[in-house]
Amino acid sequence: MRVGLFFGSFNPIHMGHMIIAQTMLDSGHIDELWFVISPQNPFKKNKNLLHEFDRLDMVDAAISENSKFRTSDIEFNLPKPSYTAHTLAVLSEKNPDKEFSLIIGGDNLASFHKWKNYQTILEHHELLVYPRPADQKPQIEITDRIHFVEAPLLDISATFIRSNIKNGHSIKYLVPTEVEDFIARKKFYQ
């Protein structure tokens, strides 16, 4: 089983995330996609960041109708700050029957050489890269372990969505309906 890992704070999860996730699934590189919710970094306090379990619940609501999508709270129980290389090692150890690929934007590929143990990640995992606005040239050698996946160039930001909510504007069409309802019911980001 080939699993794509899509890391993020998902604060909140939005249609940009959903479209990228489905595009990655449709690319043929993976059989399943896991949304890995990143916990609050204890060194970077962000008053706009919802509690990790609320963000997990939102992602669960957003993906409930897609049997190929799953959520992962693996980083909630790992030492903080959590490093992708460590998370991948733990997931691989716990799931020896799975082959994990890392899904990242082109902007992250440009700075991938700065990631902790990035060489180890590339040795053991493939990268699935989607385009982002203002992609820069990567500082690493592009090998057959890095796959560029054609995807819509989306510039939907969680910051914009949170601002809309705070200002009493609609977030319809920016987030899945289930997430819009969840946010309204819990009165998040107001």
Side-chain angles (χ1 to χ4, degrees), residues 6 20 24 102-113 115 127-140 142 146-154:
F6 195 1
I20 293 297
M24 289 296 165
L102 183 59
I103 297 168
I104 63 172
D107 52 342
N108 281 322
L109 182 63
S111 60
F112 193 70
H113 64 286
W115 289 30
L127 299 185
L128 304 178
V129 183
Y130 61 91
R132 294 280 294 148
D135 279 354
Q136 297 172 0
K137 187 175 180 349
Q139 301 296 307
I140 60 171
I142 302 302
I146 301 173
H147 306 280
F148 293 89
V149 177
E150 188 176 333
L153 192 59
L154 301 165

Side-chain angles (χ1 to χ4, degrees), residues 13 35 41 60 69 80 85 87 90 104 125 132 142 158 176 184:
I13 187 168
F35 290 85
N41 182 331
D60 277 335
F69 289 166
K80 299 187 181 37
T87 303
V90 171
I104 63 172
H125 306 280
R132 294 280 294 148
I142 302 302

